[in-house]
Amino acid sequence: DGGITQSPKYLFRKEGQNVTLSCEQNLNHDAMYWYRQDPGQGLRLIYYSQIVNDFQKGDIAEGYSVSREKKESFPLTVTSAQKNPTAFYLCASSKTGYTGELFFGEGSRLTVL
Amino acid sequence: DQQVKQNSPSLSVQEGRISILNCDYTNSMFDYFLWYKKYPAEGPTFLISISSIKDKNEDGRFTVFLNKSAKHLSLHIVPSQPGDSAVYFCAASEVGEYGNKLVFGAGTILRVKS
């Protein structure tokens, strides 16, 4: 079945550690996105990528990094510079040029201890 | 500065009645609007959308209305069912230099009571 797979579903990390969240899609979509969800704040865009080897900062990119070496993969690294990393992270993809419908993964919940 | 606002954090409706979820936006450059439904610990799923050139789009029990002059859209669910209980996000699409991206509202929790 086509879809988006995020892993791990739950992740705990100590303060000061970097952690990488995986996102893989087999929908043959060109565009991929990372959003963060916090209670009462909806989904906020961290980074997005329209094509391989290119990505752009979203609204809250500070403390995060991404790479897009393959069309299917868009991993997100939460660095120690992110001040408040505990959140629910959502990866999504879409067809390039499409007006907006995104397909989401099931999310990864990161908790910093 | 929130460009997409859902001012009602929650809504409770009796089964069989109409649910109306509201959304306001500030950016007149948004050209496409979408509603997503989300269950706990899952990713959002697309529900229905509307282009800025239309004022209504209907899909089964779900209808979205767009009032461009008021920068307001609403989602109507008729009749409401217990399975509709979820968080509903309003989103707006903007095409920029690097492609399109969605801006989401904070969400409205809908509870349908049986």
Side-chain angles (χ1 to χ4, degrees), chain A residues 74-100:
Chain A
F74 191 41
L76 173 74
T77 297
V78 185
T79 76
S80 56
Q82 168 50 233
K83 300 299 181 193
N84 190 17
T86 295
F88 189 57
Y89 291 88
L90 286 158
C91 179
S93 70
S94 73
K95 302 175 192 175
T96 301
Y98 199 63
T99 42

Side-chain angles (χ1 to χ4, degrees), chain B residues 15-35:
Chain B
E15 181 179 6
R17 299 292 191 101
I18 184 171
S19 295
I20 300 177
L21 296 97
N22 293 304
C23 179
D24 297 295
Y25 62 96
T26 57
N27 187 346
S28 58
M29 298 303 292
F30 288 142
D31 58 356
Y32 208 72
F33 302 90
L34 306 92
W35 285 93

Side-chain angles (χ1 to χ4, degrees), chain A residues 9-10 33 35 37 40-43 45 48 50 56 59 88 90 94-95 97-102 104-106, chain B residues 2 31-32 34 36 38 41-46 87 89 93-95 98-107:
Chain A
K9 197 169 178 70
Y10 299 96
Y33 308 78
Y35 284 88
Q37 184 188 11
Q41 293 200 48
L43 308 179
L45 183 63
Y48 62 110
Q50 298 293 322
Q56 305 300 326
D59 301 318
F88 189 57
L90 286 158
S94 73
K95 302 175 192 175
Y98 199 63
T99 42
E101 182 182 342
L102 302 184
F104 283 87
E106 294 203 337
Chain B
Q2 283 189 302
D31 58 356
Y32 208 72
L34 306 92
Y36 280 81
K38 184 182 182 300
E42 293 184 8
T45 54
F46 170 74
V87 179
F89 290 100
S93 176
E94 180 182 24
V95 179
Y98 301 107
N100 70 284
K101 57 180 182 177
L102 291 188
V103 179
F104 285 84

Side-chain angles (χ1 to χ4, degrees), chain A residues 101-102, chain B residues 21 33-39 44-50 57-64 75-77 84 86-89 110:
Chain A
E101 182 182 342
L102 302 184
Chain B
L21 296 97
F33 302 90
L34 306 92
W35 285 93
Y36 280 81
K37 178 179 178 179
K38 184 182 182 300
Y39 294 114
T45 54
F46 170 74
L47 193 56
I48 191 169
S49 62
I50 187 168
N57 188 27
E58 190 172 354
D59 183 3
R61 296 186 297 114
F62 303 91
T63 303
V64 56
L75 173 69
H76 292 209
I77 306 174
D84 295 329
V87 179
Y88 289 79
F89 290 100
L110 173 65

Side-chain angles (χ1 to χ4, degrees), chain A residues 22-40:
Chain A
S22 169
C23 178
E24 303 279 331
Q25 55 101 357
N26 59 3
L27 299 167
N28 198 32
H29 286 168
D30 288 307
M32 296 187 75
Y33 308 78
W34 274 104
Y35 284 88
R36 168 180 170 144
Q37 184 188 11
D38 295 284

